[in-house]
Amino acid sequence: MAKVWSEDIGRLVLAGVCVALLVLGLAAIIPGARAAETRTLLNVSYDPTRELYQAVNEAFIKQWKAKTGEDLKINQSHGGSGKQGRSVIDGLEADVVTLALAYDIDAIVQKAKLLDPAWQKRFSYNSAPYTSTIVFLVRKGNPKQIKDWDDLVKPGVSVITPNPKTSGGARWNYLAAWGYELNRSNGDQAKAEDFVGRIYKNVPVLDSGARGSTVTFAQRGLGDVLLAWENEAYLALQEFGGGFEIVTPSLSILAEPPVAVVDKVVDKRGTRAVAEAYLQFLYTPEAQEIIARNFYRPRDPDVIRKTQGNFAPVKLFTIDDVFGGWQKAQTTHFADGGVFDRIVARK
Amino acid sequence: MGGAATRDPVIVRWLLTLLALGFLGLFLVLPLAAVVVEAFAKGLDAYLRALGNDVALASIRLTLIVAAIAVPLNIAFGLAASWAIAKFDFRGKSLLVSLIELPFSVSPVISGLIYVLLFGLQGLLGPWLADHDIRIIFAVPGIVLATIFVTFPFVARELIPLMEEQGRDEEEAALTLGAGGLRTFWLVTLPNVRWGLLYGVLLCNARAMGEFGAVSVVSGHIRGLTNTMPLHVEILYNEYDFVGAFAVASLLALLAVVTLAAKTALEWWHRDELVATGH
């Protein structure tokens, strides 16, 4: 009896070892498994830039190869801007960060001291090589006749926007609405708070990121209007075809998503030269045209002139003008116990 | 038992059967079918392209590697722990049992976060690891660790009740007859629990390949490097690549089906023994 058992067990163990080896072997065979010796860069970015950086990376790798003869691989990581910043703070080794707002890079400076506090002066235009703004995406034919921010507070209008606590885009949405009412009421903060509160009363679901909200609106069919990045709205139009149209409000916010080299990481990995060249590349006419093609507003005057027809004219205000910068906006509105918490509690 | 069931009116029996089948269809078959339909929505070509690109292959490879490391370790641990718990008496035994079951009661997100708190740059060991250029989280070791933690209880939980039920008589007999501890384990204990072990391993493997929450926290989501299959599915879905997302999901579902089929086949081949040992 015992002998039979032991043979069985022997076979079972052997089979187990075989399966484990087979799995590892299979894993090794799958193409791409070879340990790559090429130099790599990691770009940690926010949600809607996947398509943009895929195109930019392809162009930069080609240019870098032509200039230096070196093969380069650029890895991408995407997610909610705040969450991505948190990952870098916790040790995700990003050579460059390209996030939705300066505050998230400032947080990396404060909490992990991975870059120079003056990072925003390193590149032109406050280190923001492209801009965007906040627009509305509505269903075809605009059945609820949504034309401007004040249409969002009407009863019966369902508004989709992500959670400002986790999403960079959502914070821009919120501040754009605030700025609109502040402008209309000649600077009455109480009126602005009431106005933004009434918009959030019409929000049925707060997703954690901009992309999540777009999928909620476009794929799941929830809501009458999506508050979205301009680039995200155009992309949705392209991906989901004819079911939607873009409405540009009379006044919106100038969103400046910044880029930065993470000093401590590039110095450790010896990638400073290529990382700086990569971000500098974003300002070249070639990259600026890729940027415009991906529905971000370019900075280069020539490219702006060439692509003028692609973007609806809109009056824009900056966060520095109306809110005194991101640090102040963050503490007043989005920190724990801030205005957003007050608004949600009232809801 | 059988007699009582057949005494129920025909209509009741039919209704109950229909209800059970309807439930199964609605919550199991229909979603599975939807995955397959979506995956092939743009034809076989698009399906194969979605699985054949570098990024998808990298995620498949990573998932296999993680499972190939996590499952054997959990087998070794599960066997050792259940043997100690079922066959020996010692102080703190119930504490050990609770510890083993801890991963079941903790949300996977928390399981991931404890590793960030431990190995993250701002964490306890993070600065030391960074100085020595050892990468744990946002790299493969972290993903393996999180997977091991989450799949920790599967083997042990299967084996402990089984071993306890079988008692210690056979082991005591073997020891009396002069067999050593290790020999007793290999020849008596292990053969008695091999079906329970197999079942535990299959469950452990399914979870290791399918884990999302814990892995998501420690992954860093770098395309082609630290995305496992479940993470890759989420990314593709968020990129509006629904065919790609469902193609990878269908592969994950297929792995589960293959696992189940393997288990059924093994049980069928050894059905005589199974009857004999009372399983």
Side-chain angles (χ1 to χ4, degrees):
Chain A
M1 186 69 186
K3 191 155 183 316
V4 178
W5 282 125
S6 73
E7 275 175 10
D8 255 15
I9 284 299
R11 259 183 268 146
L12 211 74
V13 170
L14 203 68
V17 171
C18 285
V19 169
L21 281 179
L22 203 74
V23 169
L24 281 174
L26 199 70
I29 287 168
I30 294 174
R34 298 165 298 278
E37 286 305 313
T38 49
R39 194 192 278 282
T40 59
L41 272 189
L42 176 59
N43 177 359
V44 171
S45 193
Y46 62 112
D47 238 347
T49 55
R50 304 153 198 260
E51 294 78 9
L52 169 68
Y53 278 111
Q54 263 165 35
V56 166
N57 292 350
E58 208 176 298
F60 179 70
I61 287 169
K62 217 180 276 167
Q63 201 218 45
W64 185 254
K65 171 92 179 163
K67 216 179 345 183
T68 65
E70 185 181 38
D71 284 315
L72 181 67
K73 187 165 183 286
I74 301 173
N75 292 311
Q76 287 174 256
S77 169
H78 296 271
S81 186
K83 196 187 96 192
Q84 292 291 86
R86 182 73 237 182
S87 290
V88 174
I89 291 169
D90 283 329
L92 182 59
E93 286 201 328
D95 299 280
V96 300
V97 284
T98 55
L99 295 178
L101 39 99
Y103 180 79
D104 289 332
I105 299 182
D106 281 339
I108 301 174
V109 174
Q110 283 165 10
K111 297 210 169 76
K113 305 192 170 52
L114 294 178
L115 10 32
D116 178 8
W119 60 271
Q120 214 163 1
K121 301 271 168 280
R122 294 268 188 88
F123 296 95
S124 327
Y125 299 106
N126 278 330
S127 286
Y130 43 83
T131 66
S132 192
T133 185
I134 302 301
V135 299
F136 307 156
L137 193 68
V138 297
R139 306 207 179 272
K140 187 91 201 160
N142 200 357
K144 297 265 165 126
Q145 287 303 307
I146 294 157
K147 294 270 163 51
D148 211 344
W149 291 99
D150 50 351
D151 292 316
L152 301 182
V153 300
K154 287 181 180 157
V157 171
S158 171
V159 181
I160 304 293
T161 175
N163 187 349
K165 290 272 182 180
T166 53
S167 157
R171 274 175 264 174
W172 289 113
N173 293 347
Y174 171 106
L175 295 175
W178 191 285
Y180 168 84
E181 181 63 18
L182 207 58
N183 179 58
R184 200 173 57 163
S185 64
N186 291 320
D188 188 336
Q189 298 281 355
K191 268 195 177 156
E193 180 172 336
D194 175 63
F195 181 76
V196 173
R198 273 155 63 208
I199 291 180
Y200 277 91
K201 260 198 201 102
N202 284 342
V203 178
V205 46
L206 288 170
D207 286 289
S208 72
R211 200 41 81 81
S213 278
T214 313
V215 171
T216 296
F217 181 77
Q219 177 81 353
R220 291 175 52 206
L222 248 68
D224 302 307
V225 51
L226 171 75
L227 308 188
W229 292 100
E230 186 176 41
N231 53 283
E232 189 75 359
Y234 276 106
L235 187 68
L237 219 56
Q238 181 181 303
E239 293 290 334
F240 291 97
F244 309 98
E245 48 191 80
I246 291 173
V247 173
T248 309
S250 64
L251 181 70
S252 196
I253 195 162
L254 177 71
E256 298 180 291
V259 301
V261 169
V262 185
D263 295 316
K264 278 223 174 128
V265 174
V266 293
D267 288 342
K268 186 171 138 197
R269 298 188 63 230
T271 47
R272 177 177 288 280
V274 59
E276 280 174 354
Y278 176 59
L279 294 188
Q280 207 63 59
F281 175 72
L282 293 169
Y283 291 93
T284 62
E286 184 187 1
Q288 289 282 308
E289 279 186 22
I290 296 174
I291 281 164
R293 263 206 302 284
N294 281 277
F295 315 114
Y296 292 82
R297 294 185 179 221
R299 290 288 204 185
D300 186 275
D302 287 337
V303 182
I304 289 177
R305 221 169 299 119
K306 258 198 278 184
T307 54
Q308 229 161 23
N310 302 0
F311 301 101
V314 50
K315 262 207 311 216
L316 297 170
F317 60 88
T318 69
I319 183 153
D320 291 342
D321 294 346
V322 178
F323 299 94
W326 261 113
Q327 287 291 346
K328 232 174 133 209
Q330 180 76 23
T331 23
T332 316
H333 292 276
F334 308 117
D336 284 335
V339 178
F340 178 72
D341 281 347
R342 206 155 69 214
I343 283 172
V344 173
R346 257 206 312 268
K347 184 182 174 179
Chain B
M1 252 307 263
T6 44
R7 270 199 301 278
D8 285 330
V10 180
I11 182 105
V12 174
R13 271 186 279 150
W14 272 101
L15 267 177
L16 284 174
T17 314
L18 269 179
L19 198 73
L21 283 180
F23 193 81
L24 254 170
L26 199 65
F27 289 98
L28 221 68
V29 181
L30 208 64
L32 209 62
V35 168
V36 176
V37 168
E38 285 280 350
F40 285 98
K42 286 182 185 159
L44 187 66
D45 260 10
Y47 180 80
L48 292 177
R49 255 203 316 281
L51 291 181
N53 64 66
D54 286 350
V55 180
L57 287 175
S59 75
I60 297 169
R61 188 174 66 240
L62 182 61
T63 301
L64 292 178
I65 289 173
V66 169
I69 299 172
V71 174
L73 281 176
N74 273 332
I75 293 174
F77 163 77
L79 272 172
S82 51
W83 193 45
I85 285 164
K87 309 289 179 180
F88 299 93
D89 290 314
F90 52 90
R91 271 147 73 87
K93 195 156 122 174
S94 57
L95 184 71
L96 183 61
V97 175
S98 320
L99 275 179
I100 289 173
E101 294 190 352
L102 188 69
F104 271 156
S105 47
V106 171
S107 156
V109 177
I110 308 297
S111 315
L113 276 177
I114 54 172
Y115 287 107
V116 174
L117 289 179
L118 207 56
F119 299 119
L121 198 54
Q122 314 305 314
L124 215 52
L125 305 173
W128 186 86
L129 290 169
D131 286 346
H132 293 77
D133 212 14
I134 304 171
R135 264 187 282 172
I136 306 258
I137 57 164
F138 307 124
V140 177
I143 297 174
V144 172
L145 276 176
T147 307
I148 290 175
F149 183 87
V150 172
T151 55
F152 209 52
F154 282 90
V155 175
R157 268 279 292 253
E158 260 333 290
L159 293 185
I160 293 170
L162 194 59
M163 285 192 185
E164 277 179 339
E165 191 196 334
Q166 286 169 350
R168 303 170 188 179
D169 297 350
E170 291 187 29
E171 277 86 356
E172 278 163 6
L175 287 173
T176 321
L177 291 174
L182 201 63
R183 202 168 140 86
T184 310
F185 175 75
W186 276 110
L187 298 184
V188 179
T189 312
L190 196 54
N192 277 339
V193 297
R194 55 185 181 155
W195 292 106
L197 177 63
L198 179 68
Y199 193 61
V201 169
L202 291 174
L203 283 180
C204 180
N205 182 57
R207 180 65 187 268
M209 287 185 169
E211 175 56 25
F212 179 83
V215 168
S216 171
V217 176
V218 296
S219 141
H221 304 274
I222 308 169
R223 271 170 164 278
L225 280 187
T226 62
N227 275 330
T228 60
M229 284 166 79
L231 300 182
H232 190 52
V233 170
E234 193 211 18
I235 284 185
L236 290 175
Y237 187 79
N238 277 341
E239 282 174 6
Y240 309 122
D241 182 358
F242 300 116
V243 168
F246 283 106
V248 179
S250 75
L251 200 63
L252 262 179
L254 189 73
L255 285 175
V257 173
V258 166
T259 312
L260 272 180
K263 173 176 169 280
T264 315
L266 275 174
E267 279 176 351
W268 193 76
W269 279 330
H270 296 277
R271 60 191 182 284
D272 301 338
E273 287 173 37
L274 281 176
V275 174
T277 52
H279 286 290

